Amino acid sequence: MHIIKKNVKILKGTGGRPSAPLGSRILTNPDDIFKHNMWDHVQWTEEDKENAQQKAKENAFIQIPLEEQGKFDTEASKYWDKFYEMHQDKFFKDRKWLFLEFPELLPSGAKSQAMNRCLDDQQASYPQPSGSSIDNETRHQQNNGPTHYHRNTDTSNPQTESCQGAALETIEDAIQTTTFPGQRASFRILEVGCGVGNSVFPIVNSIKETDAFLYCCDFSACAIQLVKDHPDYNDSVCHAFVHDICEEMASFPFPHQSLDVILAVFVLSSIHPERMQGTLNRLSTYLKHGGIFLFRDYGRYDFSQLRFKKGRCLSENFYTRGDGTCVYFFTKDEVHNLFSNAGLEEIQNLEDRRLQVNRGKKVVMHRVWMQSKYRKSYPLSPS
């Protein structure tokens, strides 16, 4: 945390910036900084960059000894179970921004209604911070509404339609010979690391009148039980199950190439960096050709990284919190390499930089999040 300085670099308004509500709150006058709780599209000064690099270097100088690090990986589910046992479903808020940023989550028939509801919710709630405690805002920042960036994710192309149609027909024929939850759905979504359902229930409430089906998993049995106990849980449109996505031999309750969308929001960062690539490789095999992977997570030099104390660092840009849960902070290049090495093609890969403001304490925090969309390509047609 720091008091705002007058030399903050202001991003000039441009006609190309995204639409309201969250994407257009641009700070053009430093004197206005405490008029709102969040400012979008913030450019860092060279001083900001140097200060962030120095703080990260300092808090990584003393690392946890190697012989003590293993438990944070092998016992990760226990740490998260304790977290959910303590906080239940009270720590995070539902992600009301979800469909504005990731309209690909919904079949076409449900998109407009869900996005309009999302806009109404955000316009009503945006002026208020999600909690009174800065610690709660930054320690497990999983419910932040991102700035809106959209690119066309329509996979239709006249030159490839025949190949795509043949591939989908073959896959669907194979799927129909297998019995599994959601088998008859025409649109299937998987959320990994679903926690207590802050994305699950906005999705469930938007797809219940459609032919879509949602799978959601977490390796915390406590979190999954909380999802199943929620009054909006409906097993006709949702299947929640305990699953460790890092476990190579663990099987999913659906076949390969059966998913239209995979969603991972503040999940990959909790995994040891050495296990990330294998995890993405396995997950990508469950996407249909043309399916999309939606990703949002922490970015390098986010405020939550810089506020770590010395002695909490496990390895470069990878830390453990006081409760034993872990977090990694990504760059755009790292995200791109992970997904492209998993055989997926980039649709979107960006940094969401903002200023989060505590108006009572006159404090500002530089927030950095990664937001990405990657698609599984169709096989090349035979020449």
Side-chain angles (χ1 to χ4, degrees):
M1 292 182 293
H2 59 279
I3 304 302
I4 188 66
K5 298 180 180 179
K6 291 293 184 179
N7 65 345
V8 168
K9 189 175 182 181
I10 304 303
L11 181 64
K12 302 298 183 184
T14 66
R17 71 172 183 257
S19 59
L22 290 182
S24 58
R25 186 160 286 166
I26 308 297
L27 180 64
T28 57
N29 183 350
D31 294 333
D32 294 337
I33 194 164
F34 295 112
K35 289 185 177 180
H36 297 287
N37 298 313
M38 191 82 75
W39 296 96
D40 304 308
H41 306 295
V42 174
Q43 292 182 337
W44 287 28
T45 64
E46 287 303 316
E47 182 181 358
D48 289 331
K49 295 175 184 177
E50 292 172 3
N51 288 340
Q53 291 169 354
Q54 183 61 33
K55 288 181 180 179
K57 182 178 180 180
E58 289 173 359
N59 70 23
F61 182 73
I62 300 176
Q63 296 188 358
I64 295 174
L66 284 175
E67 60 271 19
E68 298 177 17
Q69 291 190 18
K71 64 181 180 181
F72 298 111
D73 185 29
T74 60
E75 300 179 19
S77 62
K78 294 181 181 179
Y79 289 119
W80 280 105
D81 264 335
K82 290 179 181 178
F83 174 84
Y84 289 119
E85 286 170 2
M86 177 181 295
H87 298 287
Q88 297 289 296
D89 60 356
K90 304 298 190 294
F91 197 89
F92 305 122
K93 290 188 175 182
D94 284 352
R95 294 169 180 142
K96 296 179 179 180
W97 51 266
L98 200 60
F99 306 117
L100 290 175
E101 282 311 308
F102 296 140
E104 300 87 352
L105 276 168
L106 299 175
S108 57
K111 285 180 182 177
S112 59
Q113 183 179 358
M115 290 180 71
N116 288 336
R117 184 167 59 248
C118 184
L119 279 168
D120 291 341
D121 288 341
Q122 286 207 21
Q123 287 171 338
S125 63
Y126 183 71
Q128 302 299 324
S130 61
S132 60
S133 167
I134 290 178
D135 286 343
N136 282 353
E137 287 286 328
T138 59
R139 183 168 160 277
H140 289 285
Q141 191 73 28
Q142 295 191 12
N143 62 324
N144 291 284
T147 302
H148 309 312
Y149 300 84
H150 296 298
R151 283 177 56 182
N152 181 20
T153 55
D154 184 5
T155 59
S156 61
N157 184 324
Q159 296 180 338
T160 59
E161 281 184 352
S162 60
C163 177
Q164 294 176 3
L168 286 174
E169 185 175 349
T170 301
I171 292 168
E172 287 302 320
D173 286 345
I175 287 173
Q176 294 308 316
T177 65
T178 308
T179 301
F180 61 95
Q183 175 186 0
R184 300 191 181 280
S186 62
F187 190 87
R188 303 182 191 92
I189 310 158
L190 167 66
E191 185 190 9
V192 293
C194 66
V196 296
N198 300 102
S199 295
V200 169
F201 296 110
I203 296 174
V204 164
N205 290 326
S206 297
I207 67 171
K208 55 188 176 183
E209 302 299 329
T210 72
D211 194 25
F213 193 88
L214 172 66
Y215 307 94
C216 57
C217 67
D218 200 285
F219 68 174
S220 167
C222 179
I224 292 300
Q225 191 58 53
L226 287 167
V227 169
K228 291 183 175 180
D229 290 342
H230 193 283
D232 289 343
Y233 183 74
N234 183 345
D235 58 12
S236 68
V237 294
C238 182
H239 178 65
F241 58 101
V242 178
H243 186 93
D244 183 352
I245 58 174
C246 292
E247 179 54 54
E248 295 183 20
M249 303 306 294
S251 61
F252 283 98
F254 43 78
H256 291 277
Q257 298 188 50
S258 62
L259 300 175
D260 294 273
V261 180
I262 297 176
L263 175 67
V265 180
F266 296 97
V267 175
L268 203 61
S269 57
S270 66
I271 296 173
H272 193 285
E274 293 181 359
R275 305 179 76 176
M276 291 178 185
Q277 189 65 68
T279 298
L280 281 179
N281 292 350
R282 288 188 294 276
L283 287 172
S284 67
T285 65
Y286 289 92
L287 279 174
K288 298 176 182 177
H289 293 293
I292 191 167
F293 201 122
L294 306 174
F295 170 83
R296 185 167 174 83
D297 222 313
Y298 294 97
R300 187 69 47 85
Y301 305 135
D302 177 62
F303 172 75
S304 60
Q305 176 180 10
L306 305 185
R307 73 194 297 268
F308 272 104
K309 305 298 184 184
K310 292 180 181 178
R312 303 308 306 175
C313 186
L314 295 165
S315 60
E316 190 172 4
N317 303 302
F318 188 48
Y319 302 80
T320 181
R321 305 180 180 96
D323 60 7
T325 61
C326 297
V327 58
Y328 185 82
F329 297 88
F330 295 94
T331 65
K332 284 177 63 175
D333 286 344
E334 288 173 343
V335 171
H336 180 74
N337 289 337
L338 284 166
F339 282 93
S340 60
N341 289 339
L344 306 180
E345 62 178 3
E346 178 183 325
I347 300 172
Q348 178 191 83
N349 185 30
L350 54 87
E351 287 181 327
D352 180 3
R353 293 180 178 271
R354 303 204 214 166
L355 279 180
Q356 185 176 351
V357 179
N358 183 312
R359 290 187 281 176
K361 296 183 178 181
K362 301 298 182 185
V363 169
V364 300
M365 296 157 278
H366 282 282
R367 304 315 308 263
V368 186
W369 296 294
M370 305 305 304
Q371 183 163 302
S372 307
K373 303 177 183 183
Y374 282 79
R375 182 192 288 122
K376 186 173 186 176
S377 301
Y378 286 89
L380 296 174
S381 58
S383 55

